Amino acid sequence: MRRLTLFFLYITAMTACITSCVDEEEYADNPRGNFEALWRIMDEHYCFFEAKGKEYGLDWDEVRSRYSVQMSDNLTEDQLFEILGNMLGELRDGHVNMYSAWDVARNWSWKEDYPSNYSDTLIRKYLGTDYRIAAGMEYRVLDDNTGYLRCKSFSTAPGDGNLDEILLFLAPCNGLIIDLRDNSGGMLTAAEKLAARFTNEEICVGYMQHKTGPGHNDFSKMEEQRLKPAKGLRWQKRAVVLTNRAVYSAANEFVKYMKCCPGVTVVGDRTGGGAGMPYTSELPIGWSVRFSACPMYDTDRQTTEFGIEPDYRVSLDNADMLRGRDTIIEYARRIINGGTAEDTH
């Protein structure tokens, strides 16, 4: 027998990194024991059961019954991993993963089931060869005096000096495009740091809760998420954020923040979502399990787990692509240069 210990580990987005552990029941390191341990971890600590039940009828007890009959003492580790991974896939959550030495169980339907609305070939054409790079972000001035900033990850937080230099360089532009497409997230602190350059006053950008007990609806009261303006240079002109279904997690939160900032428009496809702060645990077999345990909401107290709608939904057009044009970038350029939504069609 092996004691299952549940670790709650806040990701680096939290202002203080908190780790705690709670002793749980003992589970055998066999297929049945690992199945029961995994189901119970999720049952007591996953945060979106109610939302997923309303969205597509998820019934976690029914899931347990359906997968329990697949357990057998003679399952290989490969077979066990596949079955448990399929069970986790029922949650349809990109923050829910199981890690073995040879694979990662995942459900990426939030992006894989939709058009990408992104072409790296087109982005390379818009950037050219003389673009600048700072803190992993690529930027330049387009030929109509529109600033363009490609932000493909929040895996590291940009320095204040980096952001000052980027905004100073782009300051003469008519407006700024922030291309967030295919940004699957990273650190919330990085997303907050960039968003803080687009507000001149402290604003409420949403709410969050914490799990307080094993029940599916055991949560703390909603607490405000507040965005404070940066002390350095701040953008004062129009800004357009470009999104697609691969915008997820911290990048999804960035879109939520930016929709609260003045002069910002979101263009593209609905984001992929990912509004649960991930925590980790471990099964008796030694496989690591990650799951959403801390839900976040928009300013209307609605979950953004299923994504955020853009202000204008725009898709890449095949005819534009053949001409070397990115439909979504061109739409944003017209908005920045004073066009209306009708003008962009």
Side-chain angles (χ1 to χ4, degrees), residues 130-337:
D130 59 345
Y131 61 91
R132 295 188 172 198
I133 304 174
M137 294 184 287
E138 303 163 341
Y139 62 103
R140 67 163 301 163
V141 179
L142 301 180
D143 56 16
D144 62 346
N145 200 38
T146 297
Y148 177 82
L149 176 67
R150 171 78 181 123
C151 179
K152 51 191 175 184
S153 176
F154 286 121
S155 58
T156 58
D160 292 330
N162 296 132
L163 294 177
D164 283 342
E165 290 295 334
I166 292 172
L167 295 183
L168 183 62
F169 178 79
L170 298 174
C173 295
N174 300 330
L176 175 61
I177 295 172
I178 303 174
D179 196 339
L180 206 66
R181 289 175 293 175
D182 276 21
N183 184 327
S184 60
M187 300 189 298
L188 274 185
T189 49
E192 292 168 1
K193 201 164 190 177
L194 181 57
R197 298 292 178 138
F198 294 86
T199 180
N200 292 321
E201 59 184 8
E202 183 175 332
I203 54 176
C204 175
V205 291
Y207 297 87
M208 68 187 305
Q209 290 179 301
H210 299 280
K211 203 78 166 61
T212 58
H216 287 188
N217 296 304
D218 290 344
F219 294 103
S220 66
K221 66 178 183 179
M222 288 192 181
E223 301 172 2
E224 282 192 345
Q225 292 175 287
R226 301 195 67 82
L227 182 67
K228 297 180 179 180
K231 295 181 179 179
L233 291 177
R234 295 193 293 273
W235 190 257
Q236 305 297 321
K237 301 178 183 179
R238 290 186 178 184
V240 180
V241 178
L242 308 187
T243 58
N244 67 353
R245 288 282 180 162
V247 171
Y248 197 76
S249 192
N252 188 72
E253 282 290 287
F254 177 78
V255 175
K256 184 179 83 174
Y257 302 159
M258 293 295 281
K259 285 179 78 74
C260 298
C261 296
V264 176
T265 305
V266 180
V267 171
D269 200 355
R270 184 183 182 93
T271 64
M277 195 81 74
Y279 290 66
T280 60
S281 183
E282 186 176 293
L283 299 182
I285 198 171
W287 298 338
S288 178
V289 180
R290 186 177 74 152
F291 54 92
S292 301
C294 178
M296 294 176 284
Y297 307 86
D298 63 18
T299 53
D300 294 324
R301 300 174 186 261
Q302 299 300 306
T303 183
T304 57
E305 166 67 6
F306 305 107
I308 299 171
E309 282 290 341
D311 297 306
Y312 300 108
R313 183 172 282 208
V314 182
S315 300
L316 285 184
D317 181 80
N318 288 332
D320 277 345
M321 292 181 67
L322 291 174
R323 294 195 297 265
R325 291 162 50 89
D326 187 305
T327 314
I328 302 173
I329 291 179
E330 295 302 323
Y331 195 106
R333 291 171 79 169
R334 294 191 188 97
I335 290 177
I336 284 174
N337 289 292

Side-chain angles (χ1 to χ4, degrees), residues 119-127 316 321 324-326:
S119 166
D120 189 65
T121 299
L122 290 180
I123 297 305
R124 292 301 110 194
K125 180 175 180 179
Y126 279 83
L127 282 171
L316 285 184
M321 292 181 67
R325 291 162 50 89
D326 187 305

